[in-house]
Amino acid sequence: MRKSTFVKWKFRQAAFIARALASTDHVVLAHIIPMRRCNLACGYCNEYDQTSKPVPLDVMKRRVDKLAELGTSIVTISGGEPMMHPELDQIIRHIRSHGMIAGLISNGYYFTPDRIKRLNDAGLEALQISIDNVNPDEVSRKSLRVLDKKLRYLAEHADFHININSVIGGGIKQPEDALTVAKRAVELGFSTTVGVIHDGDGTLKPLTETEKQIFHSVKKLGNKDHARLNWFQDSIAEGKPYEWRCRSGSRYLYICEDGLVHWCSQQRGYPGIPLEDYTMEDFKREYKTEKWCAPTCTIQCVHQVGILDNWRDPQMTPVQIRREQKQKERVGQVLRAE
Ligand code: SF4
Ligand code: SF4
């Protein structure tokens, strides 16, 4: 990453954080899925298929327009494997044309020098690659040995921020691989984070003693900003529930390939409203709604968004929200009658 791009990136990060702290009336981060299909089939993953078609560009552009209308600061393209989408660059350009930060999550398989340069030209600003192990096995082929050449290409040609996420838990056989991956990431000049893999419904699988030790060593190596924001992980690693306010459905949105808004990748179906029909009323309701799955949730990015509002606006259970809504309606009826 060039020095000038790095400074611009830091400035844009500071600007979206300041805006998010100043006001709660906009989306901070949206994950958008242009393609559910993936070239891999990781054993712990419930976010891919092997047959679906790419979402057409004009449909993706309309979804991006709607996210801009909701005041979204960051749009991260995820999957499946989004690099398989034939018009990925145009989607990135469209995000940037609205002034939003454009991010990408990929398994890294499709990076070549030429492809990286085209992503530079499109205006990509941040990339995250998760690497699960050093050598491929039956659980995962997102492996350092397979991807090291791609990482070297990225180190040489990419003009965007790169974070390498290593993982612990979820059936990964050699937890010490996470440390090898993190060291290699630092060596190549990337930032690094570590995630605890969630199980099928997005909640916690307790770590073993060895996993815990490795987890803390990798965290020490990693990005200090992320480490500060991810203190919830210490509770999660201990297998303890963590108290926080999940703002998914409002400050964080997950838009699936069918264009529906979900709380997150692991809670698809709630609220399940088409993005084009999503209103500030939906946004406000979800902002206030306490999520039953929050205490054992391991989804890093939603935790980080939650921190921005954790100190304000306590949440209510869906039952309490419905009760409050009914009371408001009753008061409205009485006032109208009078
Ligand atoms: S590469 Fe990512 S999307 Fe594809 S199967 Fe693995 S975890 Fe799932
Ligand atoms: S707490 Fe929020 S991010 Fe975590 S699983 Fe539940 S809805 Fe998803």
Side-chain angles (χ1 to χ4, degrees):
M1 195 178 198
R2 280 177 298 163
K3 216 171 185 174
S4 57
T5 323
F6 177 78
V7 173
K8 217 190 283 170
W9 164 244
K10 284 284 167 194
F11 178 75
R12 279 175 59 76
Q13 270 188 319
F16 95 73
I17 292 171
R19 180 173 170 234
L21 289 171
S23 142
T24 59
D25 67 357
H26 62 278
V27 177
V28 176
L29 168 66
H31 275 170
I32 191 161
I33 313 298
M35 184 143 186
R36 185 57 68 188
R37 190 164 169 184
C38 187
N39 53 323
L40 300 182
C42 304
Y44 54 80
C45 179
N46 57 11
E47 296 180 45
Y48 74 99
D49 69 27
Q50 290 179 325
T51 51
S52 58
K53 299 252 179 311
V55 179
L57 179 62
D58 58 327
V59 177
M60 287 305 297
K61 281 186 170 176
R62 280 203 297 279
R63 290 177 191 168
V64 170
D65 292 342
K66 175 70 187 202
L67 289 174
E69 211 179 290
L70 293 169
T72 309
S73 296
I74 310 166
V75 180
T76 296
I77 307 169
S78 183
E81 175 46 52
M83 291 284 285
M84 293 175 86
H85 194 290
E87 286 148 328
L88 177 66
D89 296 9
Q90 283 100 308
I91 301 171
I92 293 170
R93 276 202 180 89
H94 200 64
I95 295 169
R96 292 300 307 275
S97 75
H98 282 290
M100 300 184 285
I101 293 176
L104 177 68
I105 296 177
S106 166
N107 62 32
Y109 269 66
Y110 290 100
F111 289 101
T112 60
D114 176 58
R115 193 69 196 87
I116 295 165
K117 284 177 200 160
R118 282 193 278 132
L119 287 170
N120 289 341
D121 293 343
L124 182 67
E125 292 174 287
L127 166 70
Q128 172 154 298
I129 298 179
S130 258
I131 300 185
D132 295 343
N133 49 25
V134 173
N135 293 303
D137 61 21
E138 67 280 7
V139 175
S140 173
R141 302 186 62 76
K142 292 195 294 183
S143 314
L144 188 59
R145 183 148 297 170
V146 182
L147 291 169
D148 198 70
K149 191 164 105 185
K150 310 290 181 183
L151 299 185
R152 278 183 274 127
Y153 289 154
L154 283 162
E156 197 176 332
H157 301 287
D159 198 19
F160 39 84
H161 177 263
I162 296 163
N163 184 64
I164 305 296
N165 190 57
S166 53
V167 289
I168 302 246
I172 298 294
K173 278 195 194 137
Q174 311 277 352
E176 58 279 9
D177 284 5
L179 197 52
T180 312
V181 170
K183 282 182 181 162
R184 181 66 178 141
V186 171
E187 204 174 274
L188 288 166
F190 305 146
S191 71
T192 174
T193 49
V194 56
V196 180
I197 297 186
H198 46 69
D199 65 9
D201 63 359
T203 54
L204 176 69
K205 266 209 167 96
L207 296 187
T208 64
E209 272 313 308
T210 318
E211 284 174 334
K212 257 189 258 173
Q213 277 169 12
I214 295 164
F215 172 73
H216 289 296
S217 312
V218 179
K219 264 189 96 174
K220 269 190 211 138
L221 258 187
N223 181 327
K224 301 280 177 299
D225 296 341
H226 283 267
R228 272 195 292 275
L229 292 177
N230 285 347
W231 62 75
F232 77 94
Q233 288 187 321
D234 296 338
S235 301
I236 298 294
E238 293 297 328
K240 291 183 194 150
Y242 182 77
E243 205 180 305
W244 67 295
R245 291 170 187 154
C246 169
R247 305 290 183 178
S248 57
S250 60
R251 301 282 261 171
Y252 170 82
L253 299 182
Y254 179 92
I255 319 298
C256 72
E257 68 279 26
D258 299 321
L260 304 178
V261 178
H262 307 273
W263 280 352
C264 68
S265 65
Q266 301 307 308
Q267 294 298 348
R268 279 175 263 163
Y270 311 100
I273 297 170
L275 177 64
E276 63 202 42
D277 300 333
Y278 216 67
T279 63
M280 283 315 281
E281 209 170 297
D282 298 312
F283 177 99
K284 284 179 191 158
R285 182 195 60 245
E286 296 304 331
Y287 181 80
K288 278 201 294 190
T289 303
E290 188 180 294
K291 312 300 186 307
W292 61 270
C293 38
T296 53
C297 168
T298 61
I299 303 181
Q300 287 182 58
C301 55
V302 193
H303 273 271
Q304 289 173 351
V305 171
I307 286 167
L308 298 164
D309 305 307
N310 220 22
W311 50 281
R312 58 188 164 195
D313 307 324
Q315 293 178 312
M316 292 185 268
T317 63
V319 174
Q320 288 169 322
I321 288 178
R322 275 198 296 276
R323 203 177 292 145
E324 188 194 65
Q325 187 59 33
K326 272 194 188 137
Q327 275 166 358
K328 271 190 199 156
E329 279 164 15
R330 247 177 261 137
V331 171
Q333 279 164 4
V334 171
L335 289 177
R336 275 197 299 277
E338 282 183 359

